[in-house]
Amino acid sequence: ICLKSRVNFYTLLAGIIINSAVLFVAIWLNYFQLSIVWILAILVFFPFFTIIRQLIEHRDELAASDAEYYRSQKRKISRLFNSSIFSRLFGSAGFNKHMIHHWDPHLPFTALDKAEVFLTHCDRTREIMVKSKTTYFSAFKKLWLARK
């Protein structure tokens, strides 16, 4: 097993153990409502909000809703989000700096803030970053209003 696969495996295993422990303790203490809500959060809400986040980060507001993009070329979209508390929580693991992640995927998420500061010293990247900087709410609103 390569190192990356091993890390992914252990991360998945840790998630399974922690969530199972929460469910086990909730059931053991007769907090059945908590266990039901926890299961819903894992199976419904987390995937839903993850998909919404990915759409906000990558979806082009000019994209046609009836186009089959797996067959045709589309514009590359990646946004740079502000550093608000919501942005840091919703775009977890540094994904509020999503554009920088796409420019250099090998950078660890802990270095994305420093990379943003570094990239602002270059006129070309600063110009792109300023034009692309937004919030999750305004990007969602723009996508919502552009739908056809």
Side-chain angles (χ1 to χ4, degrees), residues 100 103 114-123 125-126 129:
I100 298 169
W103 284 350
K114 288 181 183 177
E116 180 181 21
V117 171
F118 174 78
L119 291 168
T120 59
H121 295 296
C122 173
D123 292 337
T125 54
R126 182 177 52 246
M129 290 166 59

Side-chain angles (χ1 to χ4, degrees), residues 75-97:
R75 288 187 336 144
K76 292 182 180 179
I77 297 292
S78 186
R79 294 177 174 88
L80 185 64
F81 297 96
N82 66 4
S83 293
S84 68
I85 292 172
F86 177 81
S87 179
R88 289 193 175 269
L89 291 173
F90 192 63
S92 60
F95 279 89
N96 60 324
K97 309 294 182 207

Side-chain angles (χ1 to χ4, degrees), residues 35-94:
S35 61
I36 291 169
V37 169
W38 198 267
I39 291 170
L40 281 173
I42 293 169
L43 298 178
V44 177
F45 295 108
F46 178 74
F48 173 76
F49 286 112
T50 299
I51 290 168
I52 294 295
R53 180 180 54 82
Q54 289 175 348
L55 284 171
I56 292 171
E57 290 167 351
H58 295 105
R59 180 76 177 173
D60 183 0
E61 65 270 6
L62 302 176
S65 59
D66 59 346
E68 296 177 355
Y69 287 111
Y70 61 91
R71 291 185 182 178
S72 63
Q73 191 69 16
K74 63 181 177 212
R75 288 187 336 144
K76 292 182 180 179
I77 297 292
S78 186
R79 294 177 174 88
L80 185 64
F81 297 96
N82 66 4
S83 293
S84 68
I85 292 172
F86 177 81
S87 179
R88 289 193 175 269
L89 291 173
F90 192 63
S92 60

Side-chain angles (χ1 to χ4, degrees), residues 124-136:
R124 180 69 180 127
T125 54
R126 182 177 52 246
E127 179 185 330
I128 294 168
M129 290 166 59
V130 167
K131 286 181 182 177
S132 302
K133 198 150 202 172
T134 186
T135 66
Y136 278 100

